[in-house]
Amino acid sequence: MAAAEAKPESMAFSSPTPDTAQELPTSTATPTTKASKKLSLIPLIFLIYFEVAGGPFGEEPAVKAAGPLLAILGFLIFPFIWSIPEALITAELSTAFPGNGGFVIWADQAFGPFWGSLMGTLKFFSGVVNVAAFPVLCMDYLEQLFTVFSSGLPRRLALLGFTLTFSFLNYMGLVIVGYTAVVLGVISLFPFILMSFIAIPKIHPHRWVSLGQKGVKKDWNLYFNTLFWNLNFWDSVSTLAGEVEKPQKTFPLALFCAVIFTCVAYLIPLFAITGAVSVDQSEWESGFFANAAAIVSGKWLKVWIEIGAVLSSIGLFEAQLSSCVYQLVGMADLGLLPRFFAIRSKWFDTPWVGILLSTAITIGVSYMDFSNIVSSANFLYSLGMLLEFASYLWLRRKQPTLKRPYRVPMRLPGLIIMCLIPSGFLIVIMAIATKIVYLISGLVTVFGIGWYYLMKFCKKKKWFKFSHEVQQYEHEVQQYEQE
């Protein structure tokens, strides 16, 4: 995709191009002699699936926090409040701005480079923090098979080995990651399908309407964070738009299929096990489905689900690491990061600098407490999503004639309502955060503001090379302002 001549910032909204999709700068850091392989529909569906869910693993704490009924209602209703609006926005803006960087491009186009850079900081750190949760989740399942991984040096070495090994798989190419996601998705879901069928004769429907055991206090913090963590990150795939075949057609269809696929994958096992298994509510920890499989069928199915959990963790790690990496490529293409972040490997045509940085941060964060990992990722993501909703509405208002191959079929008042409802939920998630989460999120936000001005200073001093296209754009802005 060729870079287009960008409009000066003060003219960007008053003179939109009516009949062409927004063209964006692309990386020229490492020229290649042949076109890179692109993601097709099926691998993209499974990458989105792993961006968001990766299977029913991790939904169990919702039952522990609020009982079976509220857990079921949460996974039935929350997709309409959150998942579908987020997926619709992602489909519209990814087809209007089909370049790597996704939400960073949207904020940059709506409000300028400062907000694009801040969006990038918030979403990047929420992404790598979230990626760090999956080696931890993997170890939680593995320790049920091998107790040596429960603590100490063996667990630390296993976390390190997991992260390094599967970061290298990401280095081998996004198409490989996509087809790996297809295989991992099928294998990891099959034991849940089998468990649910075996559980059918044992289901007692009255258990579905239980609000939990008497005397057990509702843990709303855990409940909402579990729902949010299991059903968010739909927009993460937008950072891969430049790596997708015919994104204007492929993205909306892939997101539609992934939403249905993900919701069904959560609900079927939840209905089956809450109806078939009666245990103390406190046992519904992350990983309980493996124990439930042993109750329903036997140890052989428990082992299969634990293996599936490990495979799912790999898929989640790969998909979300890819989004973090290609977000950095998009930011480099926009001139928000030095040009070397867009450098690609000569062997695999992958952005190795971004992979290296994301992996290093992931390793450090993976030794944090798991609950703090999830809560910090949710808080940073919430800040980024509030900015994303604002960017979407602003672009609709200021660039109404911008070509959008997919367009959410609503006028601006309806879109405002669509965004206000999940925004209210975001505020609830942020309000119930702990002090350590506030501290981490505050430091990241301050860092993001400082980083923008540091990059601006580096650009002025010419300490690093930045995207040639964006330098040309800034030159045109200066000429326009002088005139």
Side-chain angles (χ1 to χ4, degrees):
M1 181 175 60
E5 291 185 2
K7 293 181 180 293
E9 190 170 330
S10 58
M11 298 175 64
F13 301 137
S14 60
S15 303
T17 303
D19 298 318
T20 58
Q22 180 70 34
E23 294 185 79
L24 299 160
T26 55
S27 174
T28 57
T30 304
T32 54
T33 57
K34 59 180 181 179
S36 302
K37 292 183 179 178
K38 300 288 187 177
L39 284 169
S40 56
L41 178 62
I42 299 301
L44 183 60
I45 291 172
F46 276 86
L47 276 176
I48 297 171
Y49 169 68
F50 276 112
E51 294 276 9
V52 177
F57 311 100
E59 70 173 328
E60 302 102 323
V63 180
K64 177 184 177 180
L69 177 61
L70 291 179
I72 291 169
L73 289 176
F75 282 96
L76 277 171
I77 297 170
F78 193 71
F80 292 94
I81 296 174
W82 176 261
S83 300
I84 292 175
E86 189 182 8
L88 289 172
I89 291 171
T90 301
E92 178 172 323
L93 293 182
S94 293
T95 56
F97 302 99
N100 292 329
F103 35 73
V104 177
I105 299 171
W106 312 339
D108 180 81
Q109 289 288 316
F111 302 121
F114 171 80
W115 294 103
S117 178
L118 185 59
M119 172 75 90
T121 301
L122 295 173
K123 288 297 190 80
F124 176 73
F125 278 100
S126 73
V128 292
V129 166
N130 200 54
V131 169
F134 302 122
V136 176
L137 193 61
C138 179
M139 290 303 108
D140 288 345
Y141 277 96
L142 275 179
E143 71 181 33
Q144 297 185 41
L145 293 172
F146 309 102
T147 55
V148 69
F149 294 125
S150 59
S151 62
L153 183 61
R155 182 181 178 88
R156 290 178 178 272
L157 290 176
L159 284 171
L160 179 62
F162 179 103
T163 305
L164 293 176
T165 299
F166 294 108
S167 293
F168 182 77
L169 178 61
N170 211 277
Y171 173 69
M172 293 175 66
L174 192 57
V175 172
I176 292 175
V177 170
Y179 281 104
T180 300
V182 175
V183 174
L184 293 174
V186 172
I187 295 175
S188 62
L189 268 179
F190 192 76
F192 282 98
I193 297 171
L194 188 60
M195 178 180 68
S196 299
F197 274 110
I198 294 173
I200 289 174
K202 303 178 182 181
I203 289 175
H204 298 278
H206 72 273
R207 292 174 178 165
W208 292 333
V209 297
S210 170
L211 291 172
Q213 292 174 313
K214 291 183 179 179
V216 177
K217 188 177 179 181
K218 300 287 189 293
D219 187 342
W220 297 115
N221 192 339
L222 177 62
Y223 176 73
F224 286 119
N225 271 296
T226 300
L227 290 177
F228 191 54
W229 188 63
N230 280 280
L231 287 166
N232 68 1
F233 289 92
W234 292 97
D235 63 333
S236 295
V237 73
S238 67
T239 65
L240 308 177
E243 310 299 314
V244 175
E245 288 181 356
K246 301 177 181 177
Q248 288 88 349
K249 293 182 179 179
T250 305
F251 250 93
L253 180 57
L255 282 161
F256 174 77
C257 295
V259 167
I260 296 174
F261 184 29
T262 299
C263 293
V264 171
Y266 275 129
L267 286 168
I268 290 177
L270 187 60
F271 270 107
I273 298 306
T274 54
V277 175
S278 179
V279 295
D280 191 274
Q281 189 173 328
S282 63
E283 293 186 31
W284 281 84
E285 299 275 1
S286 290
F288 173 74
F289 276 133
N291 295 330
I295 296 171
V296 168
S297 183
K299 189 175 180 180
W300 65 274
L301 189 55
K302 175 184 178 181
V303 172
W304 193 353
I305 284 184
E306 287 169 343
I307 293 171
V310 174
L311 297 178
S312 177
S313 298
I314 295 170
L316 288 159
F317 181 92
E318 292 297 336
Q320 298 197 21
L321 180 62
S322 297
S323 289
C324 293
V325 169
Y326 284 92
Q327 177 194 322
L328 297 180
V329 173
M331 292 179 72
D333 291 340
L334 288 169
L336 300 175
L337 289 176
R339 191 178 175 187
F340 63 77
F341 278 95
I343 294 175
R344 297 188 181 233
S345 163
K346 293 180 180 179
W347 292 341
F348 300 109
D349 194 39
T350 47
W352 64 270
V353 176
I355 293 172
L356 191 63
L357 176 64
S358 301
T359 301
I361 297 174
T362 297
I363 290 171
V365 175
S366 63
Y367 296 110
M368 290 173 56
D369 176 75
F370 183 76
S371 61
N372 285 335
I373 291 176
V374 173
S375 298
S376 298
N378 286 348
F379 195 98
L380 292 170
Y381 189 79
S382 297
L383 290 174
M385 281 307 304
L386 290 173
L387 179 54
E388 186 174 313
F389 287 142
S391 300
Y392 174 68
L393 294 173
W394 193 254
L395 287 169
R396 263 297 187 101
R397 181 172 182 265
K398 291 298 183 181
Q399 297 191 32
T401 57
L402 174 72
K403 184 177 179 180
R404 294 168 167 87
Y406 172 80
R407 186 183 183 96
V408 179
M410 279 191 255
R411 294 182 179 274
L412 189 59
L415 295 175
I416 292 173
I417 294 171
M418 184 184 80
C419 292
L420 278 177
I421 295 172
S423 294
F425 185 81
L426 291 173
I427 293 170
V428 170
I429 289 291
M430 295 165 69
I432 62 178
T434 61
K435 291 181 180 179
I436 185 65
V437 172
Y438 281 123
L439 177 61
I440 293 170
S441 303
L443 289 173
V444 171
T445 304
V446 171
F447 173 82
I449 295 170
W451 182 262
Y452 170 74
Y453 287 104
L454 175 61
M455 290 297 99
K456 194 173 181 180
F457 182 75
C458 291
K459 192 180 297 185
K460 182 178 179 181
K461 294 293 184 179
K462 299 182 179 180
W463 288 349
F464 300 107
K465 290 183 179 180
F466 289 81
S467 171
H468 171 73
E469 292 88 347
V470 176
Q471 289 175 359
Q472 179 65 30
Y473 162 75
E474 292 175 344
H475 177 67
E476 292 173 0
V477 171
Q478 290 175 357
Q479 286 185 329
Y480 171 78
E481 291 175 342
Q482 290 173 359
E483 293 172 359

